[in-house]
Amino acid sequence: MEIIRTVAELRTKLNAAREKGSIGLVPTMGALHAGHLSLIQRARKENDTVVVSVFVNPTQFNNPTDLVTYPRTEAADVAMLESAGVDYAFIPTVEEIYPEPDTRVFDLGPVAEVMEGAMRPGHFNGVAQIVSKLFDYTRPTRAYFGEKDFQQIAVIRKMVQLEGFDLEIVDCPIKREDDGLAMSSRNVRLTPEQRAVAPVINRTLQSSLEFAKDHTVEETKRFVIDELNSKPHMQVEYYEIVDAFTMQPITDWAQTEQAVGCVTVFCGDVRLIDNIKYQQKK
Ligand code: PAF
């Protein structure tokens, strides 16, 4: 595996790789875990060359403390990428990516206005900035994203359409710990007590599948919010049940082909997200 720190070198290497076959890109912010590994393994199976970017992108953090406390574990990340058979690890500095401030504003529309978009102003524009840069540098055949950040995938698809990138976005299922907690780089910040409670997020979403069978959308939302808020350390920021394609909240199960429940919960001061797909009622 080669570690690449500059955009110029990345372009040169990948121009050569593109001549020979397909390129799979896995964009990450590092602090890699088994969830990332599953994306990398899939990229490895489906492409001739695999490049993983490791870059904590400052423009997508609307909360400065979150940016400062975001885990950075480069040595462990490099070891994991090496053993996963990655060809190129792209690990640039902030100055390399943003020699000038990025002033681009993407017209991402309604998919970016709700949930994370409403709670974290500027977050999705920052995601669009970095992902569009990475797509431009690497011009991948396929790019891999985890469904834990369900709304992010919809936003990236919108950015791809706006910018006219010719590539396939591959969405990959959420990887979970044995107790059901969705894998996240932020999990390492949980105290032992918080970590012990956190699996209730997935358990509650799972039990809401059964509950939803004979309850309205509103009642199902209430069920999830009340259940989670009743647990120690837990404070729900939002629970929305949305259409899986438009990300718009629904009020009736019949309004969509595929409903997805998206939750954000503060567990102490660690912000965790998760989601679940509801079975469509006929
Ligand atoms: O999902 C993430 O880790 C980040 O938002 C991404 C896509 C790597 C962009 O910085």
Side-chain angles (χ1 to χ4, degrees):
M1 183 180 83
E2 280 185 59
I3 298 177
I4 298 182
R5 306 259 178 206
T6 68
V7 174
E9 195 191 349
L10 183 68
R11 284 195 198 276
T12 307
K13 298 278 181 192
L14 292 184
N15 283 343
R18 206 170 297 108
E19 301 280 301
K20 297 196 205 108
S22 58
I23 297 175
L25 169 70
V26 184
T28 81
M29 296 206 298
L32 302 178
H33 50 67
H36 296 109
L37 192 59
S38 71
L39 308 188
I40 294 164
Q41 284 164 341
R42 177 139 179 215
R44 185 65 285 169
K45 258 193 222 125
E46 296 178 352
N47 300 278
D48 299 301
T49 299
V50 173
V51 51
V52 177
S53 59
V54 176
F55 180 65
V56 182
N57 172 41
T59 72
Q60 71 187 77
F61 284 81
N62 57 315
N63 174 348
T65 314
D66 195 20
L67 174 60
V68 172
T69 57
Y70 200 85
R72 287 159 171 88
T73 57
E74 185 178 313
D77 291 348
V78 166
M80 184 191 271
L81 296 177
E82 188 98 57
S83 64
V86 167
D87 299 296
Y88 299 112
F90 178 51
I91 314 181
T93 59
V94 172
E95 294 69 35
E96 180 67 17
I97 299 295
Y98 298 111
E100 308 283 335
D102 191 339
T103 53
R104 291 174 300 158
V105 178
F106 291 80
D107 184 11
L108 299 166
V111 288
E113 284 163 9
V114 292
M115 301 192 288
E116 293 300 276
M119 293 298 162
R120 304 178 67 189
H123 166 66
F124 281 135
N125 197 63
V127 170
Q129 287 175 339
I130 184 60
V131 176
S132 64
K133 278 177 181 277
L134 292 170
F135 285 178
D136 173 46
Y137 306 152
T138 55
R139 292 175 36 223
T141 318
R142 301 179 188 87
Y144 296 79
F145 297 91
E147 281 192 338
K148 183 172 71 65
D149 297 293
F150 197 79
Q151 189 181 8
Q152 172 172 274
I153 300 181
V155 169
I156 290 170
R157 286 188 193 283
K158 178 69 190 176
M159 180 279 289
V160 164
Q161 182 207 329
L162 290 173
E163 299 295 294
F165 285 113
D166 180 16
L167 54 84
E168 186 189 341
I169 300 291
V170 183
D171 36 359
C172 304
I174 301 176
K175 275 296 258 194
R176 298 186 180 280
E177 304 289 352
D178 289 344
D179 57 16
L181 178 64
M183 288 187 183
S184 164
S185 305
R186 290 189 166 87
N187 292 352
V188 295
R189 295 189 47 227
L190 297 168
T191 64
E193 294 76 24
Q194 292 164 350
R195 177 62 189 81
V197 179
V200 75
I201 301 172
N202 180 241
R203 272 206 308 280
T204 304
L205 294 180
Q206 289 293 339
S207 31
S208 79
L209 292 183
E210 199 53 37
F211 184 92
K213 286 184 182 158
D214 45 17
H215 290 86
T216 64
V217 170
E218 200 47 48
E219 287 164 346
T220 307
K221 280 168 61 174
R222 202 65 269 155
F223 167 80
V224 168
I225 293 169
D226 290 348
E227 189 70 16
L228 289 175
N229 280 343
S230 73
K231 300 293 185 296
H233 307 293
M234 294 290 193
Q235 184 63 54
V236 174
E237 188 177 52
Y238 65 77
Y239 184 57
E240 285 293 355
I241 299 179
V242 302
D243 175 278
F245 303 98
T246 65
M247 296 296 127
Q248 299 313 293
I250 58 165
T251 50
D252 192 313
W253 297 112
Q255 255 174 288
T256 173
E257 302 261 292
Q258 176 66 71
V260 182
C262 299
V263 74
T264 298
V265 191
F266 277 96
C267 188
D269 65 353
V270 185
R271 193 171 180 273
L272 300 175
I273 71 174
D274 203 343
N275 61 74
I276 197 152
K277 291 186 178 126
Y278 287 95
Q279 261 182 6
Q280 214 35 49
K281 295 179 183 182
K282 298 281 170 239

